[in-house]
Amino acid sequence: MVTFLAGIVLLVVGYFTYGKFVERVFESNHRRPTPAHTLRDDVDYLPMGTKRNALIQLLNIAGVGPIFGPILGALYGPVAFIWIVVGCIFAGAVHDYLTGMISIRNHGAHLPQLAGKFLGRVMKHVVNFFALLLLLLVATVFVTAPATLLANMLPVSLTVITLAIFAYYLLATLLPIDKVIGRIYPWFGALLVFSAAGIGLMMIVRGAPIPELNFSNMHPEGAPIFPLLFLTISCGALSGFHATQTPIISRTTGNENNGRKIFYGMMITEGVIAMIWAAAAMSLFHGDSSLSQVLAQGGPAAVVQSVSVNLLGAVGGTLAVLGVIVLPITSGDTAFRSARMIIADYLHIGQRPLAKRIMVAAPLFVISYGLTHMDFTLLWRYFSWANQTTAVIALWVATMYLILAKKTYWLTLLPALFMTMATFTYIAWAPIGFGLPLSVAYIVAALGTAVALALFIKRVRRLSGGIFAVDEPAEPGAQGATLAGAV
């Protein structure tokens, strides 16, 4: 298991080296007041401690993505390890850190507002659509996935469990962040740590036969590595869903210097979780119990159940499964919360009165409940595409910020170009998209990427020609005209 262990070591080293480099490029300032203090409302804006923020951030972003995604990505073989490590260090963690820090510098703005400021009014509306679509898909996936796992463990119907999860989500969406999320997440975090650490440790103790590094495509159906691997692993390496979650914590971060621990560090932690589950999926299924057969029979949830029980026994396996159940639940609640905040910001609806929070949130729950009746596999495909498209937009926003701030911009430009090509290729080729031959899809995607770059350069020239404040004034109530969408 040299490849597996080396990958985890590289992730940790990446946090202390490339993470520090990204932090220096951004130039965090511990003296600059953060929105948690300047815009405090004790609902969404309030300062919380670094450990608390980091734990909430981890549980927000680490839904079933770093488990189900890597399990599905394991079908490709050890090449999945490469993308998890490289993607986390150079794309996912950079994406999360800069999204969070740029949000802090802009009054805790969500991605649609940032897209409107840096990429133009049209993109503000486009990103609002994509962000809400993604959040609804995430919230729905993160209801059906844990409900299915719980239904396999409890003598309770799937419908009852689904409604119970929705009831919790409603409370977490409407109440102040420190009343529910801030209080129960430490307990959920303990289950998460036990689940991932227990699986990883037992693989090492038993000397699990994890395949070593090679670049061959081991997918049983011969599905192409590009673009599918880069959309399938999703949250395990790069995720646009994180761009919808980091502003929640940017509004509760009390000091800019804590950003690397909270945003970059928690993405690296998610990468470690992804490595563990990808390795477990690759090592435990052979012959009649091949990974592809288990997935065909019961999906990723069946793999989680089998891995947990085989490695940790009945009791330990049950606790591990509960740890996995915690992940989607602690992302689904904040998915709804983010959707409420984005709609409220877009429509300028104050969120201090409870009645207004209910008014915004209620339609979201109705739509999401309707989506739970869709086929999970199809839902995941749409989620994967919407997720990575949102990540692409967030990377372009960060690139624009760095260019206009005269900072090292290639650290986001390169992953932005790569993932733009991947998402265009997928939607051009996939059956849920245009269904073009793969060779044609590559050409279409290359042209689409070139057009996106050309439009981006045009926007850069326009904004570089005048005075443009990349950071909003830190004083309370100093909401700048740029953030309001004047540009």
Side-chain angles (χ1 to χ4, degrees):
M1 53 179 70
V2 175
T3 303
F4 167 64
L5 295 176
I8 291 179
V9 170
L10 286 173
L11 285 169
V12 175
V13 171
Y15 169 75
F16 289 104
T17 55
Y18 200 70
K20 283 189 176 180
F21 168 69
V22 174
E23 183 180 46
R24 284 199 301 270
V25 167
F26 181 81
E27 297 178 323
S28 64
N29 181 2
H30 70 279
R31 293 188 178 88
R32 193 180 199 272
T34 64
H37 298 286
T38 61
L39 298 175
R40 181 168 184 167
D41 63 2
D42 290 324
V43 175
D44 297 318
Y45 292 89
L46 70 158
M48 295 196 298
T50 303
K51 291 182 180 178
R52 198 176 182 190
N53 274 328
L55 181 59
I56 294 175
Q57 172 72 1
L58 174 61
L59 292 172
N60 284 357
I61 65 176
V64 290
I67 297 177
F68 282 19
I71 286 173
L72 294 169
L75 290 169
Y76 292 90
V79 69
F81 290 145
I82 301 173
W83 175 234
I84 291 172
V85 174
V86 174
C88 270
I89 295 172
F90 298 104
V94 175
H95 166 283
D96 289 11
Y97 176 78
L98 289 176
T99 301
M101 298 305 292
I102 294 171
S103 175
I104 287 175
R105 292 284 179 90
N106 287 273
H107 300 307
H110 276 277
L111 183 60
Q113 292 175 286
L114 296 177
K117 175 176 179 176
F118 291 100
L119 302 181
R121 288 181 180 178
V122 173
M123 285 304 298
K124 177 181 180 180
H125 302 305
V126 170
V127 176
N128 260 299
F129 168 77
F130 264 106
L132 289 174
L133 172 64
L134 173 61
L135 288 168
L136 277 172
L137 290 173
V138 165
T140 305
V141 168
F142 292 172
V143 169
T144 56
T148 301
L149 287 167
L150 282 171
N152 293 334
M153 298 171 59
L154 303 173
V156 183
S157 72
L158 183 62
T159 301
V160 172
I161 294 173
T162 299
L163 291 174
I165 293 174
F166 268 121
Y168 162 71
Y169 283 176
L170 183 63
L171 289 174
T173 301
L174 297 178
L175 295 178
I177 191 169
D178 61 334
K179 301 304 181 186
V180 176
I181 293 174
R183 290 185 178 180
I184 66 174
Y185 270 31
W187 300 99
F188 284 168
L191 273 176
L192 165 61
V193 171
F194 173 84
S195 175
I199 297 295
L201 181 62
M202 288 308 298
M203 282 195 297
I204 295 173
V205 169
R206 293 190 182 184
I210 303 170
E212 297 298 350
L213 181 62
N214 69 74
F215 295 91
S216 60
N217 184 354
M218 299 172 63
H219 197 287
E221 298 176 4
I225 291 177
F226 187 88
L228 287 183
L229 179 67
F230 304 97
L231 278 84
T232 300
I233 290 180
S234 187
C235 301
L238 170 68
S239 173
F241 173 63
H242 298 185
T244 68
Q245 299 301 290
T246 50
I248 294 177
I249 303 304
S250 75
R251 298 181 180 194
T252 61
T253 300
N255 189 316
E256 283 192 1
N257 283 1
N258 298 331
R260 183 166 66 94
K261 296 176 184 176
I262 296 170
F263 302 121
Y264 197 100
M266 292 306 101
M267 181 62 221
I268 293 297
T269 304
E270 185 170 7
V272 173
I273 295 172
M275 286 288 291
I276 289 171
W277 281 101
M282 290 181 205
S283 68
L284 295 182
F285 299 100
H286 308 281
D288 294 335
S289 298
S290 69
L291 177 59
S292 58
Q293 287 178 321
V294 176
L295 284 170
Q297 293 170 3
V303 176
V304 169
Q305 190 93 25
S306 181
V307 165
S308 300
V309 173
N310 285 339
L311 286 177
L312 299 176
V315 177
T318 299
L319 290 175
V321 172
L322 288 174
V324 173
I325 290 170
V326 158
L327 286 175
I329 289 178
T330 54
S331 292
D333 55 10
T334 50
F336 279 115
R337 191 178 187 91
S338 288
R340 170 181 66 78
M341 292 161 69
I342 287 173
I343 293 173
D345 289 347
Y346 187 68
L347 299 178
H348 305 291
I349 300 174
Q351 292 297 279
R352 188 182 290 269
L354 178 61
K356 291 188 176 181
R357 281 176 257 161
I358 294 174
M359 178 182 70
V360 174
L364 296 172
F365 283 89
V366 173
I367 296 171
S368 181
Y369 182 75
L371 290 174
T372 59
H373 296 87
M374 284 182 61
D375 175 65
F376 177 83
T377 303
L378 182 62
L379 201 63
W380 186 266
R381 290 172 185 167
Y382 279 110
F383 157 71
S384 296
W385 177 72
N387 186 43
Q388 298 306 70
T389 300
T390 305
V392 165
I393 294 169
L395 286 169
W396 283 115
V397 167
T399 304
M400 181 68 76
Y401 177 94
L402 294 175
I403 289 174
L404 297 177
K406 294 180 171 43
K407 301 179 188 294
T408 307
Y409 61 84
W410 57 260
L411 57 87
T412 51
L413 176 62
L414 295 180
L417 288 170
F418 179 80
M419 289 307 300
T420 299
M421 180 73 182
T423 51
F424 274 139
T425 303
Y426 180 79
I427 201 63
W429 168 77
I432 67 168
F434 295 98
L436 298 174
L438 188 58
S439 57
V440 177
Y442 286 146
I443 297 172
V444 171
L447 292 173
T449 303
V451 170
L453 180 59
L455 291 173
F456 180 80
I457 293 173
K458 181 180 178 181
R459 177 73 176 172
V460 169
R461 290 175 176 171
R462 178 185 173 188
L463 296 182
S464 299
I467 298 175
F468 185 90
V470 294
D471 299 328
E472 293 294 310
E475 291 77 14
Q479 190 82 358
T482 53
L483 187 57
V487 295

